[in-house]
Amino acid sequence: MKKTLVTIIIFLTVFSTACVNDTGGPGGEDRMDWWRDARFGMFIHWGLYAVPAGEWDGTTNHAEWIRTTAQIPLETYDGFVEQFNPVAFDADEWVKMAKNAGMKYIVITSKHHDGFCLFDSEYTDFDIMSTPFKRDILKELADACDREDIVICWYHSIMDWHHPDYLPRRNWETDRSTEGADFDRYVEEYLKKQLAELTGNYGRIGVLWFDGEWEDTWTHERGVDLYNYVLGLQDDIIINNRVDKGRQGMAGMTAGDEFRGDFGTPEQEIPARGLPGVDWETCMTMNNHWGYNKFDDNWKSSGELIQKLVDIASKGGNFLLNVGPKADGTFPQESIERLKAIGDWMDIYGESIYGTTASPFSDIEWGRCTKKQVGKNTRLYLHVFDWPEDNKLTVPALENKLKKAFIMDGMAGADFEVQDDRIIIDLPETPPDDYCSVIILDVKGIL
Ligand code: FHN
């Protein structure tokens, strides 16, 4: 069995009780409870930009930003509306792929920066109902999520390159007058009213994932107002930190307590360390683009994606992994394959991700660790990225007593030796799994 990525985690436990968290969806005791337990969600960037699929006028590195990066005039871009007819779209199929991958929530672009709405909005004709498809994508997805106990969430862009009241215009749109444009009207009569539709017409929504907050017309004052407004629409919804102005670039964490937002949003990167008491979620593409680009074949391997999920969970974060569907309504085959491989791993080892918190160890050379309280005791999940050549895994010493150790996939016992400054665990010759098998060190008391 050739192993390009040896991430070995072997199961050690004294408690046989399964500990998979049933992510109960919005409305928990603390509105963040379900989200913290979930740890893993699907991001979906989909819209008119899937029609050109990254190509314009001979250039091929575009995606969801194509209207700007290719400087496509508004009228020309509007022409994609009559071409967008995703006849192969099957909400149940999408949701089952997310669920089978071990994902507990889906965040889909209700409206990206281009302003096109994937839902039937009373406040614009620049929406899915003006396309030949004429079906409310978000309604079908929300209903499918409800059937599969997956939490549905919306990505909604504050920035809007289509609405006449949104300012500023794109700097290259010199022919598009700003006369009569009223940003306050955009916020009060459009942005807020669409958010009322999105939180009122599709059942309980888990997260409002704002984006496009970086332009000067959007202010801290407006961010505070919008945060409070959305909570007034649904009191247990979770709102990311891009509703306000506190996000620190792609590192994504919030600059200070004065800024609103329930979690930080690192993008395409994983913080070097977890931040105690701080909720955060890394969003990441499987290749190099959020929206579909048919030329982008720079796919991260399934093993890399599993390792990133483990790394993020070991630091107390969530992983929002993106799919950019094609214009016909199908996922790229490369995405389907990776989701399947991750799901196969999660079927066996999801317990080491769901409902866990950050590692008690600062640095582990051979991999990562996640932690979970089980009754009055602590369960540690050891994730080994580099298999020790002598099959002896060295773990930093623990303050509390180590009870037992098992190797998952058969629950075979593993011997260990507790020394003054370390614990040595005897590992099998061969890793039981292509990507990962799981260790849980069950420790007396709370770490
Ligand atoms: O401009 C967007 C981009 O298109 C994509 O939606 C990412 C995903 O979070 N957010 C912004 C870039 O930071």
Side-chain angles (χ1 to χ4, degrees):
M1 190 187 319
K2 187 173 180 309
K3 304 231 169 325
T4 51
L5 168 77
V6 176
T7 306
I8 303 302
I9 307 154
I10 301 164
F11 188 93
L12 311 173
T13 181
V14 69
F15 301 93
S16 59
T17 46
C19 199
V20 175
N21 286 275
D22 171 25
T23 306
E29 192 180 309
D30 174 333
R31 61 192 168 94
M32 300 291 289
D33 283 352
W34 72 266
W35 184 86
R36 291 180 182 124
D37 282 350
R39 284 285 174 255
F40 190 29
M42 178 183 278
F43 214 171
I44 299 176
H45 277 70
W46 199 36
L48 298 184
Y49 40 81
V51 173
E55 180 173 20
W56 189 260
D57 200 19
T59 56
T60 58
N61 193 33
H62 306 289
E64 74 285 353
W65 271 68
I66 191 167
R67 179 144 119 73
T68 284
T69 52
Q71 299 192 1
I72 302 173
L74 198 67
E75 302 68 32
T76 307
Y77 192 83
D78 287 359
F80 289 136
V81 171
E82 62 197 32
Q83 299 175 57
F84 190 70
N85 189 16
V87 292
F89 171 67
D90 179 332
D92 288 300
E93 188 178 77
W94 282 19
V95 174
K96 283 174 182 160
M97 280 195 277
K99 182 171 188 173
N100 293 339
M103 295 159 159
K104 297 291 188 180
Y105 58 104
I106 292 175
V107 181
I108 184 169
T109 49
S110 49
K111 183 194 80 169
H112 203 263
H113 311 330
D114 63 352
F116 179 73
C117 301
L118 274 182
F119 64 103
D120 180 4
S121 173
E122 183 185 334
Y123 303 100
T124 182
D125 291 332
F126 193 49
D127 71 3
I128 192 70
M129 304 313 281
S130 298
T131 70
F133 195 62
K134 295 193 190 313
R135 285 160 41 189
D136 189 327
I137 297 277
L138 299 195
K139 177 77 172 87
E140 294 185 23
L141 209 56
D143 291 348
C145 281
D146 192 46
R147 286 191 288 271
E148 296 296 333
D149 193 23
I150 294 290
V151 181
I152 188 71
C153 311
W154 309 134
Y155 163 114
H156 201 73
S157 177
I158 292 165
M159 180 165 66
D160 188 314
W161 302 332
H162 190 275
H163 197 282
D165 281 337
Y166 182 84
L167 294 170
R169 297 280 189 264
R170 302 310 88 199
N171 58 19
W172 49 270
E173 282 191 296
T174 49
D175 60 338
R176 206 173 151 220
S177 166
T178 61
E179 189 177 340
D182 180 337
F183 192 77
D184 286 333
R185 185 170 57 200
Y186 166 76
V187 173
E188 297 303 322
E189 299 304 319
Y190 188 68
L191 179 63
K192 285 185 172 181
K193 290 192 173 176
Q194 282 201 325
L195 290 170
E197 292 180 309
L198 289 167
T199 53
N201 300 345
Y202 301 94
R204 298 201 80 72
I205 304 306
V207 177
L208 249 175
W209 212 100
F210 286 104
D211 203 10
E213 84 287 7
W214 49 82
E215 298 197 302
D216 292 344
T217 43
W218 195 253
T219 63
H220 169 51
E221 184 186 8
R222 290 185 188 280
V224 173
D225 172 63
L226 193 62
Y227 180 83
N228 296 332
Y229 170 76
V230 171
L231 281 176
L233 294 171
Q234 185 185 313
D235 62 4
D236 62 352
I237 201 165
I238 298 172
I239 304 165
N240 74 344
N241 66 350
R242 301 189 187 192
V243 67
D244 196 348
K245 303 291 281 192
R247 171 172 64 118
Q248 294 173 289
M250 291 309 189
M253 298 305 182
T254 305
D257 293 343
E258 69 273 27
F259 296 106
R260 298 299 185 274
D262 300 314
F263 62 91
T265 52
E267 181 170 322
Q268 303 285 33
E269 61 182 71
I270 300 169
R273 295 190 181 294
L275 301 168
V278 174
D279 289 303
W280 56 274
E281 172 196 73
T282 282
C283 58
M284 195 174 280
T285 53
M286 287 193 191
N287 54 11
N288 289 337
H289 292 88
W290 298 100
Y292 178 58
N293 176 302
K294 64 186 173 188
F295 305 93
D296 182 354
D297 57 6
N298 188 23
W299 298 90
K300 300 173 184 73
S301 70
S302 302
E304 282 174 274
L305 294 170
I306 289 170
Q307 197 169 3
K308 290 180 187 301
L309 172 60
V310 165
D311 184 22
I312 290 165
S314 78
K315 295 165 179 172
N318 281 25
F319 190 24
L320 189 62
L321 182 58
N322 184 73
V323 175
K326 299 192 281 190
D328 68 356
T330 61
F331 285 0
Q333 186 55 33
E334 295 86 350
S335 299
I336 294 172
E337 290 162 2
R338 283 152 181 79
L339 291 170
K340 175 70 170 62
I342 296 168
D344 290 346
W345 185 84
M346 288 292 275
D347 282 348
I348 301 170
Y349 307 118
E351 178 185 326
S352 74
I353 301 295
Y354 300 131
T356 61
T357 54
S359 170
F361 305 122
S362 53
D363 285 309
I364 297 178
E365 285 173 14
W366 40 259
R368 299 291 184 272
C369 173
T370 56
K371 181 176 78 174
K372 191 179 289 186
Q373 186 175 331
V374 180
K376 294 178 180 173
N377 299 292
T378 303
R379 183 168 290 172
L380 298 180
Y381 299 88
L382 306 183
H383 302 79
V384 179
F385 292 170
D386 302 310
W387 186 252
E389 287 179 11
D390 62 358
N391 305 332
K392 300 279 184 191
L393 189 69
T394 301
V395 179
L398 293 165
E399 290 166 21
N400 303 34
K401 181 176 175 51
L402 172 58
K403 305 275 292 184
K404 271 195 174 180
F406 295 101
I407 295 168
M408 200 165 199
D409 264 0
M411 298 285 280
D415 296 330
F416 57 86
E417 180 195 348
V418 178
Q419 299 176 1
D420 290 345
D421 63 347
R422 69 193 66 188
I423 297 169
I424 307 292
I425 301 168
D426 292 337
L427 300 182
E429 281 287 323
T430 309
D433 182 276
D434 274 348
Y435 297 115
C436 289
S437 304
V438 180
I439 295 178
I440 298 175
L441 291 186
D442 256 357
V443 180
K444 193 157 181 56
I446 306 299
L447 276 187

